[in-house]
Amino acid sequence: MKIESPRQQGRHPFPKFQKTMTEVAAPADGHGHDHHDHPSWLAHHFDDAEQQYDSGKLGMWLFLVTEVLFFSGMFCAYVLYRNRNPEVFEFCSAFLNEKLGAINTGVLLFSSLTMAWAVRASQLKQTKILVGMLGATLGCAAMFLGVKSVEYSHKWGIGLLPGRYYVAQVENAPHAETNYLQMLCVIPAILSAVFLLYYVYSLVIASKFHQRVAGPLLVSGLCFFAGVGLGNILEGGEHHDEHGAGSHAHDDAHGHAHADPLVQGVATAEKATVETADEGISFVKTSGGPVNDVAVTKEEEGIPNSKVNNQGMAGLFFSIYYCMTGVHAVHIIGGMLVITWLIVKASREEFHSEYFGPVDNVGLYWHLVDFIWIYLFPLLYLIT
Amino acid sequence: MADTHSHTADAHSGDHGHGHSGFSHPMPIWMLLTVFFALLGLTFLTVFQAQFDLGNMEIVLSLLIATIKAGLVIAFFMHLLWDKPLNAIAILSSLIFVSLFLGFTLMDAQGYNERLIMDPNGDLLERSQPKGSLVKKSE
Amino acid sequence: MSAVTSPMTTTVASPDKSPEHHYLNHSSGFLSWALTLDHKRIGMMYLAGILFSFFLGGVFALAIRIHLWNPNLDPEAAWLSNATYNRVFTLHGAIMVFLFIIPSVPAALGNFLLPIMLGTKDVAFPRLNLGSFYLWVTGLLFFTYTLFSSGIDTGWTFYTPYSIESKSAVEAATLGVFILGFSSIFTGLNFIVTINTMRPPGMTWFKMPLFLWAVYATSIIQVLATPVLGITVLLLALERFIGIGIFDPALNGDPVTFQHFFWFYSHPAVYIMILPAMGIISELMSVHSHKGIFGYRMIAYSSIAIALFGFLVWGHHMFTSGMADVTTIVFSALTFTVSIPSAIKVFNWLGTMYQGTVALNTPMIYALAFIFLFTIGGLTGLFLGALSTDMHLHDTYFVVAHFHYVMMGGTLVAFLGGLFHWWPKMTGKMFNDTAGILSAAIVFVGFNLTFLPQFVLGTRGMPRRYASYVREFQQLHQLSTIGAMTLGLGLLVAGLVLLHSLFYGKKAPMNPWGGATLEWECSSPPPHDNFSSPPTVGDPYDFTSVEYDGKTGSYFKKKK
Ligand code: HEM
Ligand SMILES: [Cu+2]
């Protein structure tokens, strides 16, 4: 029944019209006639598998084009403000933990590898490998988010917030009471519990399909917490003890080559202040006023590096930082949803050498997310 | 029905031969792994490079490394090397339009940079109304 | 079954074997529409939604004009308070741009026609297509929310810093725009893929009707430009939610950059509006002149050229916003180049009519109105693109008149022409041609009466977006208001003509105008799968291949 493929000029002339005659004869039966010359995975308006595949792939590439342009807006903001106030970027980048960034880069690169491998497995109809690779990708994504949660919550705790909410960094500032990390972990914890139940259930009913789906989900839930754990360790072992004492505001930079960011920041500031004045590009006010978002008020005058360490300067950097990494993280979450969908389909053994478009296309999307991170990492974390 | 098509699979798993009838094109594992380790190596390189103060060269270098990495991802993981040229054109054109966008915007920003008002006391900022606001303040 | 049957090449000279079966009665019930994947039904749903938005925007427009009947020198005594007036013109602009004009031709007519003209069953991604429609509906809901909460008063351009401070519902509006943007992106993406991968054998690039070239060019812009709008309004929303400061001068942000972001989308967006309209005109001109299109390739290429060049000129909206001097000069110069491909098209349309057998029916009258109005609109754009004159004219009624000539006189009039042209195909009903011509005439007169005075007002210094004006301007403003009423009347007549046809119209023949493109080869309205016999792809503008049959009132492909 199926159309064999001696492609003439690349495509069958009018296979789609072969059935129109039947349809005219029996107009009422709608789509019902379609399946006798189209396999279920081939949508009725496509002539053959290759056309369907090519369409899907072109569509995905075009979507990636829109993604690139979407991100370009934030890159534009980045370049603009970095160009204008390089000293701000130097000052702020020191608050970002290079190690965590590097780890996350590695995690994403690895997930790209597993994703690419998954595509291969789907083409070769190696269902077990396929599910495994998709699961690994999902796990990496979760781990990435785990590490990111540590980074975010740590910054929120010490007031490294975007724009208007930025709190100037002072020595001996008290830590915020809220434990943001716990808040970020609530949803993953619930999800992990659900996945655990689901996994147990799948064991109980001994359904191979459900086990194949539940396994990777559960693992990825755990990966999130592995990421959190890893992040916490690298964020500095002393982290938790110091919290109570409220002694030191940021340990991001501890444990690697950087000096303490404030000290270092003060050093740059001496340079920077002069520069800023010379270039005449600063709106920063040094006395109070109605627009005191950027003002350095009397009390704050003691703040080191006050020209940079304020809402209009460092705050702006963190706005850009959160926008870029936040939108990126949203893409990761979106990617996790579609990968989950793929795992379900893969567990049903739906993919084969004529129908692997979904895996391929999600793969493309996933690599793009990696692609963006490849730029974000040096641009945000590695400024010296 | 579907299983009649798996014949394309095995024949091409080992190499990147062309001219086969199917459209699936599995990447060999060694290639995936090589690319991955190259990416990992480049990541180490860029982290390592960031330890030194290279001045202006630093941003150039780190972007260069990032671009090589991005190129590897696109060419191999995303399979663009073996893809329809149209897809490559699409993604390249996006880069062209991004550079257009960034180019003009930043060129302009560079140009009016010197006109930004130095305003250490915030007086001007306080007094001036936003320029574009023909819409009068209501409320 | 597995053998490839040779395509049927005989043409069906007799009406369909089962004439009663078409996409409208293919299935019934609310869900058969709400969940349909048929591009024709999706197109019709878009059409309904778009006409509704147009009506909504039109009500605001009339409110503006009525308010401006008087100079309102005493705001207390005015019909609308200043604050309300700001909301009214903003909602008018935003609804017209984002909800009506951008989706109008591509999403409504394009959805209906593209697969049929191409000779395929559907667009490449029918589900995504339906998704786009629902995104559009969601956008509409956001705007409705905006409307019923505190409105929005920033102007459709959302310039910062005012849009950051404004007390109106900017968040809802920006999120609405964000969603509408994605609706537009997915439509464009769908069309590009459809045209690239779904063309049937024989349908080469240069056998495609020019409408498809235009829609293709439009889709390129939609895919490349709209994401930037997305990130712009997203950042603006974040600006309001969490004060990120990227565009906020109070936080060292840069409002000029906001304008760059916004116009990087919005200038290309004016080509999203006009290109498909130009595509319609190319079809209308040749079909109703019964003469092959003059300069097919030039028109096709110029569509693509417009799409690409359109990305180089956005700065002409910002000449007085504090851009650097060099940039203004560069953008001004580039602006002039982009008018060349537009002019090419105008000359080609005129060349098409020359020595043709011009049938002066409703669609053609609209098309002629388009040429006249668009030419004025385009030429006045040149005054605005020239640096020195723009310094004077920027943000005056001259700009208002300019963009209404191109958007309303151009896109809307072409849309109406296209609607009348394809109405018999879409609904299977013929409308009353005389009444249709009457509507076109009233629209034409009313339009010019509304907007010609605005050019004069603008050159004399009447600023746009003002709720009051000095007495000297009153006569011209009143003229404009009278024009607006006339225009409204004309549109009402047009609407009634179409509505009337639905109930009392004659059954439309397969090919009432004598078009040679594929949509005229399937019955009116088209069957569910578009063609009951495979279309033979020929020259879309070869009018020697069709002949009139007096008995059915329809044209038919000549037998070879
Ligand atoms: C043919 C070539 C065209 C040229 C040279 C041109 C030029 C311009 C210029 C320079 C402005 C800015 C005026 C100012 O704000 O001072 C402008 C405004 C505008 N144009 Fe055009 N234009 C052209 C065609 C079009 C078309 C085809 C459309 C839409 C279908 C359009 C829609 C608009 C709109 C909506 C605005 C005002 C935007 C706003 O400030 O709210 N233009 N045009
Ligand atoms: Cu423009």
Side-chain angles (χ1 to χ4, degrees):
Chain A
M1 290 300 248
K2 234 202 68 60
I3 301 163
E4 280 305 318
S5 28
R7 292 199 174 72
Q8 306 183 340
Q9 305 147 340
R11 199 165 293 156
H12 298 283
F14 301 109
K16 59 187 160 183
F17 294 113
Q18 290 167 20
K19 61 185 161 299
T20 42
M21 292 287 100
T22 36
E23 192 205 5
V24 173
D29 80 13
H31 289 268
H33 56 83
D34 276 338
H35 43 73
H36 53 76
D37 62 349
H38 269 51
S40 63
W41 42 266
L42 182 58
H44 85 287
H45 58 290
F46 290 117
D47 297 343
D48 58 29
E50 184 165 7
Q51 190 190 28
Q52 167 163 309
Y53 172 74
D54 284 343
S55 303
K57 192 146 189 177
L58 178 61
M60 184 42 85
W61 275 106
L62 288 173
F63 180 70
L64 299 188
V65 167
T66 70
E67 289 283 17
V68 169
L69 278 142
F70 189 78
F71 274 96
S72 75
M74 288 177 290
F75 279 100
C76 186
Y78 175 92
V79 182
L80 181 67
Y81 293 113
R82 178 160 181 185
N83 227 351
R84 220 169 255 179
N85 307 317
E87 73 282 0
V88 176
F89 280 66
E90 272 166 40
F91 171 77
C92 295
S93 173
F95 290 99
L96 305 185
N97 190 333
E98 215 172 80
K99 270 193 184 157
L100 291 185
I103 293 277
N104 259 350
T105 311
V107 169
L108 272 196
L109 288 177
F110 184 71
S111 76
S112 263
L113 169 70
T114 53
M115 193 70 227
W117 201 321
V119 174
R120 174 191 152 86
S122 72
Q123 291 167 333
L124 300 179
K125 211 166 189 317
Q126 302 165 328
T127 304
K128 268 203 195 117
I129 299 185
L130 173 57
V131 175
M133 286 299 163
L134 289 173
T137 314
L138 195 64
C140 285
M143 192 146 153
F144 179 91
L145 289 181
V147 174
K148 205 87 217 134
S149 308
V150 174
E151 289 190 74
Y152 274 5
S153 57
H154 179 69
K155 293 199 178 55
W156 298 343
I158 59 174
L160 292 170
L161 292 164
R164 235 167 248 285
Y165 295 98
Y166 178 83
V167 178
Q169 298 301 299
V170 220
E171 298 273 357
N172 303 324
H175 286 279
E177 292 306 311
T178 339
N179 190 336
Y180 294 103
L181 188 55
Q182 270 173 16
M183 280 163 54
L184 286 177
C185 287
V186 171
I187 293 178
I190 296 175
L191 284 177
S192 300
V194 172
F195 295 154
L196 180 64
L197 286 179
Y198 180 34
Y199 189 61
V200 172
Y201 167 78
S202 73
L203 288 180
V204 170
I205 64 167
S207 149
K208 194 146 193 209
F209 164 72
H210 285 294
Q211 282 166 21
R212 273 186 184 157
V213 178
L217 287 178
L218 180 60
V219 171
S220 69
L222 298 180
C223 279
F224 177 86
F225 292 100
V228 172
L230 189 68
N232 263 330
I233 295 170
L234 287 178
E235 195 60 270
E238 74 277 40
H239 187 88
H240 289 282
D241 318 325
E242 277 194 32
H243 256 277
S247 61
H248 196 272
H250 25 75
D251 9 39
D252 278 84
H254 280 223
H256 61 81
H258 275 302
D260 180 286
L262 268 188
V263 178
Q264 188 206 12
V266 174
T268 23
E270 271 148 28
K271 207 166 35 136
T273 320
V274 182
E275 276 170 16
T276 323
D278 283 350
E279 286 168 12
I281 51 163
S282 171
F283 279 127
V284 176
K285 305 198 302 176
T286 49
S287 66
V291 204
N292 47 20
D293 307 300
V294 282
V296 179
T297 53
K298 290 270 170 342
E299 316 88 70
E300 286 170 338
E301 226 126 58
I303 295 179
N305 212 355
S306 58
K307 280 255 178 210
V308 169
N309 189 358
N310 60 46
Q311 290 156 326
M313 289 291 189
L316 203 58
F317 171 87
F318 281 100
S319 295
I320 294 173
Y321 166 78
Y322 284 114
C323 285
M324 286 180 137
T325 56
V327 173
H328 181 261
V330 169
H331 278 82
I332 298 259
I333 295 173
M336 291 172 77
L337 293 177
V338 281
I339 291 173
T340 308
W341 169 70
L342 284 187
I343 290 180
V344 174
K345 275 171 89 80
S347 306
R348 287 204 208 110
E349 313 205 354
E350 285 187 18
F351 301 117
H352 50 81
S353 68
E354 293 263 295
Y355 179 65
F356 56 92
V359 188
D360 205 4
N361 290 335
V362 170
L364 289 180
Y365 169 83
W366 192 255
H367 297 311
L368 185 91
V369 174
D370 189 14
F371 176 100
I372 303 270
W373 184 260
I374 285 177
Y375 281 98
L376 287 186
F377 172 58
L379 286 181
L380 292 170
Y381 289 79
L382 297 183
I383 310 169
T384 43
Chain B
M1 290 180 180
D3 49 348
T4 56
H5 299 283
S6 50
H7 67 276
T8 50
D10 303 334
H12 304 285
S13 53
D15 65 318
H16 271 90
H18 291 272
H20 52 279
S21 56
F23 56 88
S24 91
H25 182 261
M27 296 277 290
I29 293 173
W30 64 263
M31 192 180 277
L32 294 177
L33 287 176
T34 314
V35 172
F36 171 67
F37 284 113
L39 287 169
L40 219 52
L42 286 167
T43 308
F44 277 119
L45 186 64
T46 193
V47 173
F48 178 70
Q49 162 265 140
Q51 318 269 313
F52 305 103
D53 193 356
L54 302 174
N56 275 344
M57 275 311 288
E58 182 217 322
I59 176 100
V60 178
L61 196 60
S62 61
L63 281 182
L64 186 72
I65 296 177
T67 306
I68 296 174
K69 284 165 75 181
L72 286 176
V73 169
I74 288 205
F76 294 96
F77 282 172
M78 296 172 90
H79 209 264
L80 197 63
L81 275 186
W82 297 273
D83 219 334
K84 292 241 150 70
L86 186 64
N87 297 341
I89 292 172
I91 201 75
L92 283 182
S93 72
S94 85
L95 298 181
I96 292 173
F97 281 87
V98 166
S99 48
L100 199 76
F101 173 40
L102 296 201
F104 267 127
T105 306
L106 296 171
M107 167 183 127
D108 184 43
Q110 207 63 43
Y112 65 73
N113 231 348
E114 75 217 29
R115 290 215 293 253
L116 291 181
I117 301 157
M118 177 156 78
D119 188 21
N121 297 318
D123 307 331
L124 275 164
L125 193 60
E126 211 171 303
R127 266 185 280 118
S128 69
Q129 283 297 315
K131 185 160 182 309
S133 73
L134 282 176
V135 186
K136 278 165 292 179
K137 284 235 175 77
S138 41
E139 251 85 32
Chain C
M1 274 304 261
S2 65
V4 177
T5 54
S6 67
M8 287 177 47
T9 44
T10 50
T11 48
V12 190
S14 59
D16 259 342
K17 281 166 209 144
S18 53
E20 295 311 320
H21 173 236
H22 51 75
Y23 80 102
L24 291 169
N25 64 12
H26 176 72
S27 53
S28 60
F30 174 74
L31 284 186
S32 80
W33 280 86
L35 298 180
T36 182
L37 298 181
D38 180 1
H39 66 98
K40 297 184 285 301
R41 287 191 169 195
I42 295 175
M44 291 308 268
M45 293 196 294
Y46 262 121
L47 185 64
I50 278 159
L51 291 178
F52 169 75
S53 319
F54 180 59
F55 174 77
L56 203 66
V59 170
F60 285 115
L62 289 183
I64 296 175
R65 284 318 319 167
I66 292 171
H67 176 82
L68 291 178
W69 182 262
N70 294 312
N72 305 312
L73 290 168
D74 173 16
E76 300 297 311
W79 179 47
L80 302 172
S81 73
N82 285 353
T84 317
Y85 182 80
N86 290 344
R87 284 168 169 71
V88 169
F89 78 69
T90 302
L91 279 164
H92 162 67
I95 291 177
M96 285 298 197
V97 169
F98 295 116
L99 281 167
F100 168 66
I101 202 165
I102 288 193
S104 64
V105 184
L109 294 180
N111 244 323
F112 192 98
L113 292 169
L114 182 136
I116 310 187
M117 282 185 156
L118 206 58
T120 71
K121 279 186 195 169
D122 210 324
V123 291
F125 309 116
R127 238 167 281 237
L128 187 68
N129 201 14
L130 186 66
S132 299
F133 175 70
Y134 282 110
L135 282 176
W136 182 88
V137 172
T138 316
L140 176 68
L141 292 180
F142 271 86
F143 268 92
T144 321
Y145 170 81
T146 312
L147 184 57
F148 288 109
S149 59
S150 48
I152 169 167
D153 64 353
T154 60
W156 78 279
T157 49
F158 304 116
Y159 276 10
T160 58
Y162 180 66
S163 56
I164 301 176
E165 300 157 14
S166 163
K167 301 245 168 6
S168 58
V170 180
E171 297 87 350
T174 47
L175 291 181
V177 170
F178 184 82
I179 293 167
L180 290 171
F182 275 90
S183 162
S184 171
I185 288 176
F186 290 138
T187 305
L189 189 154
N190 221 333
F191 288 175
I192 295 185
V193 175
T194 309
I195 291 181
N196 269 308
T197 63
M198 308 272 293
R199 278 174 290 124
M203 180 60 83
T204 56
W205 283 94
F206 291 103
K207 286 268 169 60
M208 286 202 318
L210 287 166
F211 180 67
L212 295 188
W213 274 96
V215 170
Y216 190 78
T218 310
S219 303
I220 294 179
I221 312 179
Q222 282 174 307
V223 165
L224 284 173
T226 319
V228 176
L229 175 73
I231 190 67
T232 311
V233 291
L234 185 70
L235 290 178
L236 178 55
L238 288 176
E239 202 75 73
R240 289 180 65 93
F241 287 131
I242 57 173
I244 54 173
I246 291 178
F247 299 132
D248 186 354
L251 286 169
N252 278 346
D254 190 335
V256 180
T257 304
F258 175 86
Q259 298 187 16
H260 276 299
F261 277 48
F262 183 84
W263 290 112
F264 180 82
Y265 166 73
S266 290
H267 182 80
V270 309
Y271 295 108
I272 297 180
M273 308 172 194
I274 200 68
L275 271 172
M278 291 169 158
I280 292 181
I281 299 302
S282 301
E283 299 299 321
L284 264 52
M285 279 295 155
S286 76
V287 172
H288 296 287
S289 305
H290 298 280
K291 178 165 168 272
I293 189 89
F294 182 82
Y296 173 92
R297 283 196 183 223
M298 281 316 270
I299 298 186
Y301 287 139
S302 68
S303 288
I304 306 293
I306 289 180
L308 300 181
F309 280 121
F311 279 91
L312 298 173
V313 302
W314 78 83
H316 64 214
H317 295 271
M318 304 165 53
F319 286 155
T320 63
S321 304
M323 279 203 310
D325 299 343
V326 205
T327 335
T328 54
I329 293 168
V330 172
F331 275 127
S332 178
L334 288 172
T335 298
F336 287 98
T337 60
V338 81
S339 51
I340 296 171
S342 307
I344 289 179
K345 288 190 185 241
V346 172
F347 289 123
N348 280 305
W349 294 323
L350 298 180
T352 304
M353 275 194 295
Y354 179 67
Q355 290 195 337
T357 321
V358 181
L360 286 178
N361 46 28
T362 311
M364 188 61 176
I365 300 286
Y366 273 106
L368 291 173
F370 169 93
I371 293 197
F372 185 81
L373 300 176
F374 175 73
T375 306
I376 296 185
L379 288 178
T380 51
L382 294 178
F383 294 89
L384 296 171
L387 261 182
S388 50
T389 39
D390 188 63
M391 291 298 152
H392 178 62
L393 296 173
H394 175 68
D395 265 341
T396 68
Y397 264 68
F398 193 90
V399 177
V400 177
H402 156 70
F403 67 71
H404 280 91
Y405 263 86
V406 276
M407 288 161 87
M408 189 160 192
T411 309
L412 178 83
V413 165
F415 175 69
L416 286 175
L419 194 59
F420 276 103
H421 182 74
W422 283 294
W423 188 259
K425 182 56 60 187
M426 296 197 284
T427 64
K429 294 294 165 65
M430 292 303 286
F431 52 84
N432 182 327
D433 200 40
T434 322
I437 291 176
L438 183 70
S439 80
I442 305 177
V443 165
F444 183 76
V445 172
F447 181 87
N448 284 304
L449 198 55
T450 314
F451 294 108
L452 268 181
Q454 296 191 358
F455 280 126
V456 184
L457 279 171
T459 47
R460 294 193 186 164
M462 169 77 211
R464 69 193 277 206
R465 294 178 174 168
Y466 271 36
S468 58
Y469 51 83
V470 293
R471 290 212 179 281
E472 287 84 336
F473 292 149
Q474 187 167 15
Q475 273 182 352
L476 287 169
H477 266 299
Q478 291 188 343
L479 216 57
S480 182
T481 302
I482 296 172
M485 297 298 157
T486 319
L487 183 53
L489 179 75
L491 293 170
L492 190 70
V493 173
L496 289 178
V497 172
L498 292 179
L499 212 60
H500 177 268
S501 78
L502 280 185
F503 299 104
Y504 307 104
K506 277 197 321 220
K507 184 178 176 347
M510 193 168 88
N511 186 357
W513 315 121
T517 39
L518 289 182
E519 80 272 27
W520 303 112
E521 282 182 45
C522 62
S523 49
S524 308
H528 176 69
D529 268 343
N530 294 351
F531 297 99
S532 46
S533 56
T536 28
V537 179
D539 182 345
Y541 299 107
D542 176 16
F543 294 96
T544 55
S545 71
V546 288
E547 66 188 348
Y548 189 66
D549 171 26
K551 255 184 278 165
T552 49
S554 179
Y555 287 80
F556 287 103
K557 266 249 152 80
K558 271 188 210 151
K559 290 195 184 133
K560 296 237 168 70

